[in-house]
Amino acid sequence: MAGKPVCQNGQSTGQTLQGHLGARARAYGRLPLPADLNWWWTVGAILCAILALMLLTGLTLTLAYTPDAGLAFGSVEGIERRLPAGWLLRAMHMTGASFFMLALYVHVLRGLYYRSYQSPRIGVWMSGCVLLAMAMITAFAGYVLPWGQMSYWGADVAGKAVGALPLIGGWLEGVFLGGDAPGTPTLHRMFALHFGLAFLIIGMVMGHIAVVHARGSSSPSARPASVTGVLPFHPYFTVRDMLAIVLVAVAFVAVLCFWPELIAEPANYRPANPLHTPADIEPEWYFLPFYGMMQAVPFKLGGLLLSGGAVAVLFAVPWLDRKVGDGQGVPTLARVAAMLLLVCSAVATAFAGAHHMQGNWLLVARLGMVGYYAYFLAYLPLCRVLQQGGKV
Ligand code: HEM
């Protein structure tokens, strides 16, 4: 090393890029993690794997897709029927979107259940919330691209919902649709959004993981590392992550090959027809809870605010349940009951969202919405009181 310029951390500044990357990878491999991490901590790695698949299949699909209202549906049909293995690429991209959103929801629920959003991981949580919003916009924009019946009418509903915002609504609707009704300008916008956001998500994920690295993982038992003990990321957790990815891959292939109807919406295999409104316009399953909330309110702006608020409230979580003291937890029974309330409420609003919103379904949607918000606005602030007495 003598004679070579040396930087603060003692490494030679003359290091090659390859050497630097190797050193970073080794540092990540040695990362000490709480020894009691459970399988829920593999979902982050699963998300990374699906994201890689989405990028690869998405970039390949782009080569044969045409973002024009007169040609988009036909170009997707061409991919399905004429492009070699095109049907497989498209099926992987569509199934991947559903698996990604499912994994994302599980990841968020894991964070809520184990209160991983508390200091010192507020930055991890906030970057995650931005990622969730970006993923939702990307998924919505992607669904418009095939220009089937649901794509068209989904864009129409979203445009009108945005238009209900006071003051800027009309302007935003114009920016979103690029005209009075969905058409080629809408497709150009959605294509640019879908393509561009995918790359921004990659950058954001790298930032998210860097913050996890800097702050360290929380432990499911909420105990300090001195109690749980630590193990290096590699090989202890890399092996489990890989096994989890393989298990998800098996489920992925099973859905793709044997139950494609779980993912595909038949109405979207009909070309967009601006003159024929489908009897029931409904989004992909992962938007149904929010769609249900939007419809459960009799006036548009209220529905828009409550369904948007259901995502926005996640940004406030670290302040709704602030950290007090160390190593204390909310009793498991209370946490399980609260988690059941949240999940059942979201599922109930989703079912209501998939039905005509009247009679009993309207009641179900409203009760579900109350349960959903109760988790954030009543249970989380109450955690501080609950944790005084109980240990996890
Ligand atoms: C593209 C989406 C995302 C990817 C690829 C991703 C990836 C990861 C990875 C690899 C980890 C470390 C392993 C693990 O704990 O599972 C992690 C941790 C974490 N993520 Fe995400 N994440 C994403 C979205 C989100 C979202 C939407 C949230 C919450 C709103 C979130 C919150 C967290 C938290 C709090 C941790 C730290 C958990 C802990 O150890 O205490 N992430 N994420």
Side-chain angles (χ1 to χ4, degrees):
M1 268 316 197
K4 272 194 180 172
V6 172
C7 62
Q8 265 179 353
N9 61 8
Q11 282 175 337
S12 161
T13 50
Q15 214 180 23
T16 60
L17 178 65
Q18 208 180 6
H20 177 72
L21 289 178
R24 300 279 311 164
R26 278 192 296 279
Y28 267 81
R30 281 194 301 267
L31 182 72
L33 294 169
D36 62 348
L37 289 190
N38 59 31
W39 282 80
W40 297 113
W41 265 257
T42 61
V43 180
I46 293 169
L47 277 167
C48 292
I50 307 178
L51 189 61
L53 178 85
M54 295 304 283
L55 263 175
L56 284 176
T57 50
L59 281 174
T60 326
L61 287 170
T62 306
L63 301 178
Y65 172 75
T66 316
D68 181 289
L71 303 169
F73 190 85
S75 74
V76 173
E77 282 297 293
I79 290 172
E80 290 265 8
R81 290 159 202 270
R82 285 189 293 277
L83 194 77
W87 64 272
L88 182 61
L89 276 175
R90 179 157 187 244
M92 282 164 86
H93 201 69
M94 281 167 63
T95 314
S98 274
F99 270 66
F100 187 79
M101 292 307 291
L102 180 64
L104 206 49
Y105 289 159
V106 172
H107 193 63
V108 174
L109 290 176
R110 189 276 315 257
L112 287 172
Y113 182 79
Y114 291 110
R115 301 163 89 198
S116 313
Y117 45 78
Q118 290 188 324
S119 170
R121 287 173 205 85
I122 296 181
V124 185
W125 181 261
M126 296 309 268
S127 59
C129 288
V130 175
L131 272 170
L132 178 68
M134 288 166 93
M136 287 177 132
I137 297 173
T138 310
F140 173 79
Y143 195 59
V144 177
L145 298 183
W147 214 236
Q149 268 292 68
M150 280 300 158
S151 305
Y152 179 92
W153 290 100
D156 188 66
V157 169
K160 290 197 175 110
V162 169
L165 280 172
L167 302 175
I168 54 163
W171 174 79
L172 262 185
E173 187 180 349
V175 172
F176 172 69
L177 292 178
D180 296 334
T184 298
T186 321
L187 267 183
H188 281 179
R189 282 159 167 75
M190 294 304 113
F191 191 42
L193 204 61
H194 189 65
F195 200 95
L197 272 181
F199 290 93
L200 288 180
I201 286 178
I202 305 270
M204 197 69 198
V205 166
M206 287 162 85
H208 183 67
I209 294 175
V211 190
V212 176
H213 193 186
R215 298 294 176 184
S217 276
S218 61
S219 144
S221 61
R223 293 194 177 99
S226 53
V227 180
T228 61
V230 291
L231 287 171
F233 177 50
H234 181 72
Y236 294 98
F237 298 100
T238 43
V239 168
R240 188 156 68 181
D241 282 352
M242 278 188 284
L243 182 56
I245 290 172
V246 170
L247 292 177
V248 170
V250 172
F252 183 85
V253 173
V255 171
L256 192 146
C257 296
F258 300 112
W259 298 287
E261 71 278 4
L262 276 181
I263 307 286
E265 163 63 52
N268 226 26
Y269 286 84
R270 273 181 230 123
N273 182 355
L275 301 178
H276 179 253
T277 318
D280 275 311
I281 305 173
E282 69 179 68
E284 292 282 79
W285 68 265
Y286 39 81
F287 288 131
L288 280 175
F290 310 104
Y291 188 61
M293 291 185 197
M294 197 159 91
Q295 286 179 302
V297 183
F299 54 104
K300 246 189 211 166
L301 179 61
L304 185 67
L305 292 180
L306 280 171
S307 67
V311 179
V313 74
L314 287 169
F315 284 88
V317 162
W319 292 275
L320 288 170
D321 174 20
R322 278 183 199 224
K323 190 178 174 90
V324 276
D326 245 346
Q328 288 178 314
V330 174
T332 310
L333 191 66
R335 285 195 297 163
V336 172
M339 195 45 45
L340 276 177
L341 170 76
L342 178 64
V343 174
C344 292
S345 303
V347 171
T349 30
F351 269 104
H355 290 84
H356 218 67
M357 194 60 79
Q358 58 186 22
N360 287 342
W361 285 119
L362 185 59
L363 185 67
V364 169
R366 288 182 176 168
L367 286 177
M369 190 157 59
V370 170
Y372 182 93
Y373 274 102
Y375 178 90
F376 293 99
L377 304 180
Y379 166 72
L380 286 186
L382 209 70
C383 278
R384 185 189 284 237
V385 182
L386 288 171
Q387 88 169 18
Q388 306 298 327
K391 295 231 188 287
V392 197

